[in-house]
């Protein structure tokens, strides 16, 4: 047992050190001057497999939140944050990944359609996304189809959030 406890403490220290390092990198990338930060964002994007121009429109929030939550940024998300559609259908997203996406979409003004069909969303993850919708002024359509969070308990809460959004015009909840 002593070996197991020491091993677990060692793993926690290693995970904490990795989280601190990612956070340090994210801070250095996004806290420097605009010119330096643009180059650094491009370097970060290239290091996760996304080349080309990287917009600050939600991307920095996504990468920073991933670092804080000890999640690897998903290149598809970084890439799609530049367009009008963020389609994460069939990605099995953890709550932490949903929190990172939500942080980015609070700042993003280009995505107008969010598709999250069959993402394994829990009611907690759906709440995080609905809270984001209160801050986002660009998203007009959301598709949460084929997720199991929709039940008689989550529907009233979802309805309250949706009623307070200003931009949302279409919500799909099939399946």
């Amino acid at each position: 047992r002593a070996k197991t406890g020491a091993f677990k403490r060692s793993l926690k220290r290693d995970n904490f050190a990795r989280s601190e390092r990612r956070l340090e990198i994210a801070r250095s990338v996004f806290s420097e001057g605009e010119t330096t930060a643009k180059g650094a964002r491009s370097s970060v994007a290239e290091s996760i497999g996304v080349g080309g121009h990287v917009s600050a429109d939600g991307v920095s929030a996504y990468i920073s939140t991933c670092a804080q939550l000890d999640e690897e940024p998903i290149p598809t998300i970084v890439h799609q944050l530049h367009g009008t559609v963020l389609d994460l259908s069939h990605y099995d997203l953890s709550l932490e990944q949903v929190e990172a996406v939500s942080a980015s979409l609070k700042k993003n003004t280009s995505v107008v359609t969010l598709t999250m069909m069959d993402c394994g969303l829990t009611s907690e993850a759906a709440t995080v996304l609905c809270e984001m919708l209160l801050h986002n002024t660009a998203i007009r359509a959301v598709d949460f189809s084929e997720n199991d969070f929709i039940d008689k308990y989550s529907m009233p809460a979802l309805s309250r959030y949706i009623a307070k959004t200003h931009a949302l015009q279409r919500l799909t909840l099939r399946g």
Side-chain angles (χ1 to χ4, degrees):
R1 261 186 205 193
K3 286 183 180 181
T4 302
F7 178 71
K8 286 182 180 178
R9 282 190 299 278
S10 172
L11 280 177
K12 284 182 181 179
R13 277 193 307 272
D14 289 348
N15 285 338
F16 180 76
R18 278 198 312 271
S19 294
E20 286 298 307
R21 178 67 183 134
R22 285 184 182 145
L23 187 54
E24 181 182 311
I25 290 169
R27 282 185 183 137
S28 70
V29 167
F30 302 109
S31 67
E32 297 176 11
E34 186 62 36
T35 305
T36 305
K38 283 182 182 176
R41 279 194 294 273
S42 295
S43 297
V44 169
E46 288 170 12
S47 74
I48 63 172
V50 179
H53 173 71
V54 177
S55 166
D57 201 16
V59 174
S60 62
Y62 175 69
I63 293 172
S64 176
T65 304
C66 283
Q68 291 170 1
L69 298 173
D70 198 29
E71 288 289 329
E72 289 295 322
I74 299 172
T76 300
I77 294 173
V78 174
H79 178 72
Q80 288 187 29
L81 283 171
H82 304 296
T84 58
V85 176
L86 179 57
D87 186 352
L88 301 176
S89 297
H90 311 293
Y91 277 82
D92 191 20
L93 300 174
S94 68
L95 178 59
E96 291 80 11
Q97 290 165 330
V98 171
E99 288 172 348
V101 168
S102 292
S104 71
L105 290 174
K106 282 182 182 178
K107 300 184 182 308
N108 185 289
T109 57
S110 62
V111 173
V112 294
T113 302
L114 174 62
T115 305
M116 299 187 77
M117 290 177 53
D118 188 32
C119 289
L121 295 179
T122 63
S123 57
E124 188 175 7
T127 300
V128 168
L129 290 164
C130 287
E131 287 173 357
M132 172 275 302
L133 289 171
L134 295 176
H135 301 280
N136 183 287
T137 58
I139 295 178
R140 304 280 184 257
V142 174
D143 188 344
F144 287 154
S145 297
E146 300 176 31
N147 285 288
D148 294 331
F149 75 88
I150 303 166
D151 59 22
K152 67 181 181 177
Y153 302 107
S154 63
M155 203 57 190
L158 182 63
S159 298
R160 282 191 301 275
Y161 277 113
I162 297 304
K164 294 178 184 177
T165 63
H166 300 289
L168 191 64
Q169 297 173 353
R170 188 180 73 221
L171 174 66
T172 307
L173 301 170
R174 285 183 306 227

